[in-house]
Amino acid sequence: METAVRRPDEAIEAPPERATPLAPPDRRPAASPLDIVSGEIVVEDLNVYYGEFRAVRDVSLTIPPRAVTAIIGPSGCGKSTFLRTLNRMHELTPGARVEGVVTLDGIDIYRPDVDPVQLRRVVGMVFQRPNPFPTMSIYDNVTAGLRLTGRHKRSELDEVVERSLRRSALWDEVKDKLRQPGTSLSGGQQQRLCIARALSVDPEVILMDEPASALDPSATLRVEELIAELRRQYTIVIVTHNMQQASRVSDRTAFFTMGEERAGYLVEADDTVRIFTNPAEQLTEDYISGRFG
Amino acid sequence: MTSATVTAAARFGRAASRVPDVVFRSGSGVLAWVAVGILGLLAALLVANSGQALAKFGISFLTGTTWDPIAGIYGALPFIIGTIASSFIAIVLATPIGLLTAIFLAELAPRRVAIPLTFTIELLAAIPSVVFGLWGVFVLGPFLSRTVEAWVVDTLGWIPIFAGPPFGVGLFTAGVILTLMILPTIVAISRDMITAVPDSQREAMLALGATRWEMITNAVLPYARSGIIGAVILGLGRALGETMAVTMVIGNRPQIPQSIFDSSQTIASQIATTFNEASIGLQTSALISLGLVLLVITMTLNVIARLLVWRVAGPQGTS
Amino acid sequence: MTGAVIAQPSMAARLTGARVGRRRTVVDRSMRTIAMGAAFLCALPLAAVLFFVAANGLSALSLDLITKPPRALGIGGGAANAVVGTLQMVPLAALIAVPVGVLGAVYIAEFANSRSARVIRFCADVLVGMPSILIGVFVFTFLVLPFKQFNGFAGSVALAVIMIPVVMRTTEESLHLVPNSLREASLALGVPAWRTVLSVVLRTGLPGILTGSMLAIARAMGETAPLLFTALGSRVVNVGDFGRPMDSLPLFIYVNARQPVDALNQQAWGAAFLLLLIVLIINVAVRARSWGRRIG
């Protein structure tokens, strides 16, 4: 058992253009130049099974820190399944298991001493449909994650609520009605509330599973703007079936498709500009340009 | 769920227009309304037959502490207290056990454990009340008096409501028997309510770094709250009206109990034990008035509980 | 800003839980264990009741218990009066309740507008939750009191009142499972609505209707309270005379359990064993079928 608390073995040099030395006061301080920019995910030879069925096959992918990585591909290609293996949410499905290695800043997240409960505080998640807790107020929705760890000090909670709601660009709309139920908000506001809730526990990585698919165009735009705001402070992985969205919000894009025996696999991953203008693979080209069959 | 009801109404709406259809339709309609008629007639007959006693005693029927057929004085308070006290014991015991069981069955147990356990608990509900009573008198009562009751009297006996002696017959044994009888109701309905909570709520809480148990208490139970309250109220309604098992173990003493081990009497057990010997007239009327009190209490609880459960699961839900 | 390393624990520490106390994990584990304990505690009473009823009842079980009535005077004899009474009152109750319940459910599921369906369904649900002793009092007021005579017919009616809402609700649920395409196909062939209901809808929903009816019968067999002031109970074997008092197994158990005579208590155990056996066999048989369907 390697229980010793240690820094990651392979310290990643911060790419200079990412390390913003000065952050606005309502922003989370970006990493200082001497610190490690954390939140890099490296996936090697990942296979996901549901019982006998292999849903995802042999995926190797590096997700850079403090950037947005989009995952696109036809439905059923395993992109949501893949996303869920990054914070072990797939373990909720009975019979689901993974083979391969997923590291977060060099730590294998499937190591026996990694607690999935702790992992999910570092790797947060936003879901397809807004899912605020209906019996809780806006304030309580945002603080739900903090209260789990017994942090009840009012001033501290107040501060986190304001900071999280400002980061999720919702503060101005709800600051006067924090005691109202979270479900009283519009769909788009609810989704930003869920993003605020995910931010409140101070994660490094945020996984987004088609976060705008249940929203109308103007609410979708707000969420996309929000992603752009958050991209320098968090590692964001977004699954989307909307290629335009992927091209608008992401720095990198990974294209998945379904292969033999309905197992999803990664075709290629590259800078978003390159994927949408000059992909290396014919399959990607076909998908981007709408050819199939 | 509601959509099923709506389409049901339209299923044969227009198609059933020919004479035999109309006959069939109205015939079945009459039979359906029999359920409503029974309920109305039951209430009306109870009101009509309790008139004599209620007119004579008025509100003092509810507040009087003496029930004396020879003197012709009827006060129902001892039975009302006995009913509430025995049901209260049952609810206090059955709610935590039932809710934990429902949580285990719905959230934690693997299917191969959950299925036989659910089956066992359903069978518990099938045991006739009188068999529970027989077992209560000869097995459970003596067992409790030797163990739990003796221990409580020894350690807490200086508090009046825990004073002895423990006979194994009385309020406490009745409460335990009622617990067993209402557990299946509370378990089955709470489990359905918990199952009806959408997975998105569970995922939201887990993604915040909650443990399984924190997910259950912070997301699942609050969401199912009103349905679970409904389940407990339905259990309470059953406990208040349960007759045979209680009659056999409660001791049948028409006085206000001072301790939870005292012999007592509930509304239902008083009716069961004295109705047949009652002289037609004031005494019968007083007993039927007791029944009316029970009807009002259980009907009110039932209506509240149904509305709460329907709110979570829809009107097609658990019956 | 001055280059000081931010006091953020390393990723390894954040992921392995070194930062939180063990309290949350301990609460999680122990509460899950307690929940499991509660669930098994719930299963215990069934085992205890079964064990003691079998242990005490088996020795009292004999051919005499079923074939001989109690002695007119003194102790001895059997429970033939009760067996015969149950075998008459329960079938008559089913004869009343099953048609009313099934056709009533047909009306709610197939014909009624949604508002009256809701009213009827609601009343049926309230009736299911009605204390059964009140049903006994209710039937007493119009089938016993006017004739100044306890009678088996009143007992059957009281049992029927208990069965009707049970049959109605379970039948309705099974009718909702009949696919609409079957109704449409039948109507499209020119089959009138009433025959469609009888030959297509009810036939398809038959397993569910049988399940509900059998469960209602099992429940009626075990009911005591509604019979106390209607059928009353009888020490003689009453065959066919519904105008006179009748006995039933639950009444027999109740009366004999309350006698301060060991031999009579033994008879109560014997009758309880018989009753429990029948009730549980019906329940297991009927539920095992629907469980099988749910699993398979």
Side-chain angles (χ1 to χ4, degrees):
Chain A
M1 278 281 282
E2 30 180 347
T3 46
V5 175
R6 58 187 172 96
R7 309 292 287 180
D9 300 327
E10 46 283 315
I12 302 123
E13 277 312 316
E17 74 278 12
R18 293 284 184 221
T20 357
L22 278 171
D26 66 319
R27 300 270 167 80
R28 158 188 142 108
S32 85
L34 289 184
D35 196 20
I36 300 146
V37 172
S38 58
E40 187 191 51
I41 298 173
V42 178
V43 179
E44 285 165 39
D45 296 325
L46 184 80
N47 286 278
V48 189
Y49 298 86
Y50 292 122
E52 294 298 300
F53 170 61
R54 177 152 71 166
V56 174
R57 195 189 73 202
D58 298 331
V59 172
S60 295
L61 175 66
T62 299
I63 294 168
R66 311 282 156 110
V68 179
T69 300
I71 299 177
I72 61 169
S75 62
C77 68
K79 47 189 198 298
S80 282
T81 301
F82 171 73
L83 190 74
R84 282 163 171 263
T85 61
L86 301 182
N87 68 345
R88 296 174 62 173
M89 286 291 278
H90 71 285
E91 290 174 2
L92 303 182
T93 315
R97 68 196 158 85
V98 301
E99 284 169 6
V101 178
V102 179
T103 61
L104 172 58
D105 289 349
I107 311 293
D108 181 358
I109 65 170
Y110 288 96
R111 225 165 67 176
D113 62 333
V114 168
D115 182 356
V117 170
Q118 291 306 114
L119 171 67
R120 291 176 195 141
R121 289 182 91 80
V122 180
V123 185
M125 191 160 193
V126 175
F127 297 87
Q128 206 168 31
R129 293 185 170 277
N131 53 359
F133 302 119
T135 56
M136 293 185 196
S137 65
I138 293 170
Y139 186 98
D140 290 345
N141 260 287
V142 178
T143 57
L146 289 177
R147 282 179 289 127
L148 291 174
T149 48
R151 282 156 75 181
H152 290 291
K153 227 171 86 192
R154 190 53 199 269
S155 56
E156 190 188 354
L157 294 185
D158 284 350
E159 194 193 309
V160 170
V161 168
E162 176 164 352
R163 192 174 62 218
S164 307
L165 287 171
R166 277 192 192 282
R167 278 189 201 156
S168 67
L170 193 59
W171 176 252
D172 292 330
E173 291 157 66
V174 301
K175 63 169 184 268
D176 298 322
K177 47 178 186 179
L178 292 174
R179 291 290 154 202
Q180 287 182 21
T183 42
S184 66
L185 301 173
S186 73
Q189 288 174 320
Q190 285 188 21
Q191 192 61 304
R192 280 181 284 145
L193 175 63
C194 293
I195 294 173
R197 188 174 63 189
L199 298 181
S200 72
V201 293
D202 216 16
E204 298 296 330
V205 181
I206 301 170
L207 310 177
M208 297 184 169
D209 190 356
E210 305 197 18
S213 66
L215 305 181
D216 63 54
S218 71
T220 300
L221 180 64
R222 298 298 307 273
V223 170
E224 289 183 7
E225 286 170 353
L226 179 55
I227 293 171
E229 300 249 317
L230 297 172
R231 74 191 322 158
R232 292 199 184 287
Q233 294 131 47
Y234 302 94
T235 304
I236 295 175
V237 187
I238 176 172
V239 162
T240 176
H241 58 238
N242 179 335
M243 275 184 285
Q244 283 74 27
Q245 182 170 67
S247 67
R248 280 192 302 267
V249 302
S250 70
D251 303 294
R252 307 250 319 160
T253 297
F255 172 59
F256 278 62
T257 194
M258 207 187 335
E260 291 154 25
E261 294 172 342
R262 295 172 45 232
Y265 69 99
L266 175 66
V267 178
E268 63 175 314
D270 210 330
D271 286 341
T272 297
V273 178
R274 196 175 160 83
I275 290 278
F276 282 96
T277 53
N278 189 16
E281 299 288 332
Q282 185 62 38
L283 276 170
T284 317
E285 168 81 51
D286 289 350
Y287 183 70
I288 303 296
S289 54
R291 272 195 299 273
F292 58 88
Chain B
M1 301 259 164
T2 8
S3 69
T5 327
V6 175
T7 51
R11 264 176 198 158
F12 289 113
R14 223 157 281 145
S17 53
R18 276 173 290 184
V19 176
D21 287 344
V22 172
V23 171
F24 185 76
R25 183 199 161 116
S26 7
S28 66
V30 169
L31 294 179
W33 284 95
V34 161
V36 184
I38 289 172
L39 201 60
L41 191 65
L42 190 152
L45 283 177
L46 255 49
V47 170
N49 285 286
S50 58
Q52 193 183 353
L54 290 184
K56 178 153 182 207
F57 299 106
I59 194 74
S60 75
F61 181 77
L62 294 178
T63 56
T65 57
T66 309
W67 185 276
D68 187 347
I70 297 161
I73 299 170
Y74 297 101
L77 195 62
F79 313 128
I80 295 173
I81 290 177
T83 305
I84 292 172
S86 55
S87 298
F88 180 76
I89 294 171
I91 283 294
V92 166
L93 294 175
T95 303
I97 299 175
L99 189 53
L100 284 168
T101 303
I103 289 170
F104 179 73
L105 294 177
E107 297 284 339
L108 304 172
R111 275 173 68 83
R112 63 176 193 283
V113 177
I115 287 173
L117 257 182
T118 308
F119 190 62
T120 309
I121 294 167
E122 278 182 14
L123 283 188
L124 187 64
I127 295 178
S129 172
V130 72
V131 175
F132 265 120
L134 183 72
W135 178 74
V137 175
F138 292 109
V139 181
L140 182 69
F143 171 77
L144 288 177
S145 83
R146 281 198 312 273
T147 55
V148 183
E149 295 188 12
W151 182 81
V152 172
V153 170
D154 280 351
T155 50
L156 298 170
W158 48 276
I159 305 170
I161 64 158
F162 294 122
F167 286 123
V169 159
L171 267 182
F172 183 72
T173 308
V176 174
I177 285 269
L178 285 175
T179 303
L180 306 183
M181 301 184 75
I182 66 176
L183 263 176
T185 307
I186 295 184
V187 171
I189 300 177
S190 308
R191 190 206 51 205
D192 290 351
M193 297 297 118
I194 290 172
T195 314
V197 175
D199 272 342
S200 67
Q201 292 287 316
R202 295 183 180 86
E203 292 182 337
M205 198 44 98
L206 287 175
L208 286 174
T211 62
R212 257 299 162 88
W213 188 257
E214 287 164 347
M215 171 201 88
I216 291 165
T217 52
N218 292 307
V220 175
L221 295 185
Y223 192 97
R225 191 178 50 190
S226 60
I228 291 171
I229 295 172
V232 172
I233 296 178
L234 277 180
L236 179 61
R238 258 201 88 180
L240 292 169
E242 174 50 44
T243 311
M244 298 319 295
V246 172
T247 302
M248 292 166 82
V249 301
I250 202 166
N252 311 117
R253 194 183 68 132
Q255 280 164 37
I256 295 175
Q258 305 299 316
S259 150
I260 62 165
F261 303 122
D262 270 358
S263 290
S264 180
Q265 187 77 306
T266 67
I267 293 176
S269 67
Q270 175 68 8
I271 299 174
T273 47
T274 59
F275 196 84
N276 277 341
E277 296 115 56
S279 47
I280 301 297
L282 188 60
Q283 192 182 357
T284 310
S285 173
L287 284 169
I288 294 178
S289 307
L290 271 185
L292 190 63
V293 173
L294 185 59
L295 178 76
V296 171
I297 298 172
T298 51
M299 279 255 283
T300 313
L301 288 178
N302 254 296
V303 170
I304 294 171
R306 291 288 169 205
L307 293 177
L308 286 171
V309 170
W310 282 16
R311 224 171 71 180
V312 177
Q316 296 296 311
T318 320
S319 52
Chain C
M1 292 304 109
T2 54
V5 173
I6 294 169
Q8 181 75 286
S10 76
M11 186 58 77
R14 289 176 77 181
L15 293 185
T16 53
R19 213 160 59 118
V20 288
R22 292 176 44 77
R23 197 186 57 84
R24 291 174 62 206
T25 322
V26 171
V27 168
D28 182 53
R29 296 251 171 81
S30 39
M31 288 313 292
R32 286 160 71 165
T33 313
I34 291 172
M36 184 169 72
F40 284 98
L41 192 67
C42 280
L44 197 63
L46 180 74
V49 171
L50 286 181
F51 174 78
F52 284 101
V53 170
N56 291 306
L58 267 176
S59 58
L61 207 59
S62 64
L63 205 58
D64 281 4
L65 191 73
I66 304 169
T67 54
K68 293 211 171 125
R71 293 245 181 85
L73 289 170
I75 298 159
N81 55 334
V83 174
V84 167
T86 290
L87 288 181
Q88 293 173 92
M89 282 195 290
V90 173
L92 180 61
L95 221 57
I96 302 169
V98 171
V100 174
V102 170
L103 288 173
V106 164
Y107 180 76
I108 309 178
E110 310 289 329
F111 296 115
N113 62 46
S114 63
R115 180 189 291 175
S116 45
R118 210 177 303 142
V119 171
I120 296 167
R121 200 180 287 135
F122 191 81
C123 287
D125 279 352
V126 172
L127 213 50
V128 169
M130 179 76 58
S132 58
I133 184 108
L134 293 182
I135 289 168
V137 173
F138 159 63
V139 173
F140 169 86
T141 58
F142 73 95
L143 282 180
V144 176
L145 193 56
F147 311 108
K148 307 226 180 320
Q149 169 70 61
F150 294 102
N151 59 81
F153 180 69
S156 283
V157 171
L159 294 180
V161 169
I162 286 172
M163 294 170 70
I164 286 171
V166 179
V167 176
M168 204 183 245
R169 292 295 269 130
T170 43
T171 301
E172 192 204 340
E173 263 162 47
S174 70
L175 294 187
H176 282 306
L177 298 179
V178 176
N180 239 339
S181 54
L182 283 183
R183 294 180 182 84
E184 281 156 12
S186 172
L187 289 176
L189 288 174
V191 179
W194 68 275
R195 287 207 46 193
T196 299
V197 167
L198 288 182
S199 56
V200 176
V201 179
L202 282 183
R203 181 163 302 170
T204 316
L206 195 62
I209 296 168
L210 284 178
T211 300
S213 304
M214 287 313 290
L215 289 180
I217 287 171
R219 185 167 163 201
M221 287 186 89
E223 282 288 350
T224 322
L227 300 179
L228 288 172
F229 332 126
T230 51
L232 187 68
S234 160
R235 284 174 66 81
V236 297
V237 177
N238 174 350
V239 180
D241 187 355
F242 276 92
R244 311 282 300 171
M246 278 188 182
D247 211 55
S248 80
L249 279 171
L251 281 174
F252 181 90
I253 298 166
Y254 175 60
V255 170
N256 284 287
R258 287 171 83 81
Q259 309 302 324
V261 179
D262 211 37
L264 294 179
N265 296 162
Q266 280 306 310
Q267 289 197 340
W269 281 111
F273 182 80
L274 203 60
L275 178 64
L276 197 56
L277 201 65
I278 301 169
V279 167
L280 288 187
I281 285 174
I282 294 178
N283 268 278
V284 170
V286 163
R287 285 172 204 270
R289 277 182 46 128
S290 60
W291 275 107
R293 225 173 298 139
R294 236 176 290 177
I295 299 163

